[in-house]
Amino acid sequence: MDKNHIILFLKETELFKNLDYTELRELAENITTRSCRPGEILFRENSPRADIFIIYDGEVELFKLNARGSEVRLALFGKGDFPGDGIWDLESTHSGCARTVIPTTLLNVNRKFFSYRAETTLKILLNFSRIISGRMHNAYTRMPDCSLLHESGRTRREHDLLGEREVPAEAY
């Protein structure tokens, strides 16, 4: 794939929106393109994180195996999305599995890229935090009682048939 075409695509991708041309060019030079068939596994649960995948076209599903070994779909990613966003934590492993659903073209960025230039990495991290904040907001609006996710750390003493105990101040 032509590097100029990749630069234009990256410029329109949320994760890289505020990068200047020089930074986008450097990023494009560090990208490998990967064409995948449907059903191709990108990573498995508990495997080490090495790349972040930007979907150029196609679809990738994130799934997990439940206690009975059945697959549970967690998310479906499309053009411009980026499975593998936990790459920022050097010690973490993948919390689920990812595979392509239809023929998919990926732009792979190895984690080493993020150690080249601190200014570029900071811009990308700021975009990343804004995107994750938006994802969390969307998830919270679908939860029946999202207030429990925002505990203040304060407690109160409650008494019931099981005895007396400290409970979070926000809990009913």
Side-chain angles (χ1 to χ4, degrees), residues 8-133:
L8 290 173
F9 176 79
L10 294 173
K11 186 177 182 175
E12 297 303 315
T13 302
E14 224 25 64
L15 190 57
F16 307 111
K17 245 188 168 108
N18 60 344
L19 271 57
D20 63 34
Y21 181 79
T22 303
E23 292 165 325
L24 288 167
R25 191 180 72 238
E26 185 178 22
L27 176 59
E29 292 296 325
N30 285 279
I31 280 179
T32 57
T33 306
R34 179 175 170 188
S35 296
C36 303
R37 299 176 315 279
E40 199 166 320
I41 299 291
L42 304 180
F43 53 81
R44 295 192 184 279
E45 188 172 356
N46 298 319
S47 64
R49 297 178 187 269
D51 293 332
I52 190 166
F53 307 96
I54 300 104
I55 301 172
Y56 181 78
D57 63 29
E59 291 180 348
V60 172
E61 69 176 333
L62 187 64
F63 66 96
K64 203 167 179 65
L65 298 176
N66 66 17
R68 292 182 294 286
S70 300
E71 292 181 4
V72 177
R73 181 183 274 185
L74 304 175
L76 183 65
F77 296 100
K79 185 175 184 168
D81 288 332
F82 50 97
D85 51 36
I87 196 162
W88 311 108
D89 181 359
L90 298 176
E91 302 299 317
S92 76
T93 58
H94 288 287
S95 56
C97 304
R99 78 171 152 233
T100 56
V101 178
I102 60 176
T104 301
T105 303
L106 300 171
L107 305 178
N108 292 17
V109 182
N110 188 275
R111 74 171 355 138
K112 292 176 189 171
F113 172 78
F114 302 105
S115 63
Y116 294 155
R117 291 187 48 211
E119 186 178 332
T120 304
T121 300
L122 180 58
K123 287 180 180 180
I124 295 169
L125 280 171
L126 289 171
N127 288 337
F128 174 75
S129 64
R130 190 183 74 254
I131 292 164
I132 294 302
S133 177

Side-chain angles (χ1 to χ4, degrees), residues 145 147-158 165-172:
D145 188 5
S147 65
L148 295 178
L149 295 174
H150 301 283
E151 292 183 3
S152 65
R154 295 184 321 245
T155 60
R156 67 176 187 274
R157 201 96 172 121
E158 287 284 337
R165 70 182 71 200
E166 295 289 321
V167 297
E170 293 81 11
Y172 288 107

